[in-house]
Amino acid sequence: MQPPAAGTLRVLHLSDTHLTGDGALHQGSVDTTAALESVLARVDGVPGIGLVVISGDVSEDGSPESYAAVLERVGGWAERHGAALVAVPGNHDLREGFRQVLSNGHVLGEGGRPVMHTMEYHPPTVPVWGQSLVAGRRIVTVDTSVPGAGYGEVSEASLERLRTALAGDHAPHGTIVVLHHPPLPAPTALHEALRLQNPEALADVVRGSDVRVVLGGHYHHHFAGSLAGVPVLVAPGVANDTDVTGAYDEESAYVDSGALVVDVAEDGSVWSTPLRVPRPDADPLAFHLDAETVASVIAAAGKH
Ligand SMILES: [Fe+2]
């Protein structure tokens, strides 16, 4: 892949890793630890990633062990690549286990350096909240999970904190909001029942602000939409891929893993590249041109 343009923040957007503390298979069919490792290996050669984001359902069981497994793998990857790391809880996460290992989710700062946190106790009823500055962008994580529920909601307290954050110190290149339940329609009846309940309230806070992009997950499939004129990008799941063409009132998913590489330019322009992990048994290579052949095609057919 081409390197990011100068001044652009390149984000590796992962979602729905659904790791288990005991290595149990997700839905009885997918080794999510192996799926995560294959995604990370796939993106190892993508240049210039400055921020890694996990937009919720980090864990399947909420156990500290599952978060430690994520931290080891994604944190290790981010450190090696000199990238910041930010995570937010989803409906499968448990705030207690999440906080125990990932604190407020802002784990690594710019350059992959650990973020220092004061140990502060929050009961699980209090949404996880975090913000940090990475490459001149304000990164805000908004916890849309509702304890005991699958649907999402931005609480009044979180809306107020977001409003305050956006009205606060000027971020030179705007804000990136990370949340689990995207403020977009859902592809199936099941996901519709589990969708974000108050997207209008979020839209009211985002409208006219310096938010450049909203990154979400939850639907286990890539979608692009907008909220109050701001792009909303839903990352494909690491755990599986929702069958969006199936019957609306049924639910199925394929074994498949993906991610987004999101470039956020200095002027706020956003460019997203969806990735999936090919499986050698099911995804044969269509073609490959070596660099010399590519150069000759460019010489013959490119603009001179
Ligand atoms: Fe999920």
Side-chain angles (χ1 to χ4, degrees):
M1 189 182 288
Q2 84 291 3
T8 291
L9 174 63
R10 175 163 283 181
V11 183
L12 172 60
H13 180 191
L14 307 170
S15 197
D16 297 273
T17 44
H18 287 269
L19 251 60
T20 52
D22 59 3
L25 298 182
H26 181 244
Q27 303 279 17
S29 59
V30 175
D31 179 344
T32 47
T33 306
L36 175 61
E37 287 172 349
S38 66
V39 171
L40 292 174
R42 183 75 185 156
V43 293
D44 211 40
V46 174
I49 288 171
L51 169 67
V52 181
V53 157
I54 313 174
S55 60
D57 281 1
V58 178
S59 166
E60 172 69 10
D61 56 20
S63 65
E65 293 77 16
S66 64
Y67 294 109
V70 170
L71 184 60
E72 185 186 338
R73 287 160 180 81
V74 185
W77 193 99
E79 266 180 358
R80 263 201 328 283
H81 288 78
L85 170 60
V86 162
V88 70
N91 48 298
H92 280 271
D93 290 296
L94 293 178
R95 289 171 179 162
E96 235 162 356
F98 183 99
R99 282 188 168 115
Q100 195 177 319
V101 179
L102 304 176
S103 189
N104 70 346
H106 293 244
V107 181
L108 301 174
E110 200 168 321
R113 288 180 290 276
V115 176
M116 295 304 157
H117 293 281
T118 50
M119 289 309 282
E120 202 181 336
Y121 176 75
H122 297 282
T125 47
V126 175
V128 177
W129 168 268
Q131 68 180 92
S132 53
L133 199 69
V134 175
R137 279 84 176 173
R138 178 174 23 229
I139 315 299
V140 181
T141 44
V142 177
D143 181 355
T144 55
S145 70
V146 176
Y151 66 84
E153 198 166 48
V154 190
S155 68
E156 272 306 320
S158 294
L159 285 169
E160 188 49 38
R161 293 187 92 157
L162 180 59
R163 210 176 282 123
T164 305
L166 296 176
D169 289 344
H170 172 71
H173 304 305
T175 297
I176 296 173
V177 171
V178 185
L179 42 69
H180 183 60
H181 299 80
L184 295 179
T188 61
L190 179 60
H191 278 100
E192 184 62 25
L194 304 184
R195 66 166 292 175
L196 187 72
Q197 299 298 298
N198 57 344
E200 305 82 8
L202 185 64
D204 286 344
V205 177
V206 163
R207 187 173 294 113
S209 73
D210 71 351
V211 176
R212 305 297 191 214
V213 64
V214 176
L215 303 177
H218 190 47
Y219 292 163
H220 290 220
H221 193 79
H222 173 45
F223 294 94
S226 63
L227 178 80
V230 174
V232 178
L233 300 174
V234 180
V238 170
N240 59 41
D241 179 39
T242 300
D243 178 10
V244 295
T245 59
Y248 180 67
D249 57 354
E250 297 179 11
E251 187 74 25
S252 48
Y254 292 101
V255 176
D256 202 15
S257 294
L260 299 181
V261 173
V262 182
D263 286 348
V264 186
E266 267 181 347
D267 68 357
S269 308
V270 172
W271 192 53
S272 176
T273 308
L275 309 172
R276 60 183 291 272
V277 179
R279 287 157 299 152
D281 56 331
D283 300 304
L285 199 62
F287 65 86
H288 169 77
L289 308 178
D290 62 22
E292 199 182 328
T293 311
V294 169
S296 69
V297 173
I298 291 173
K303 191 166 182 240
H304 295 285

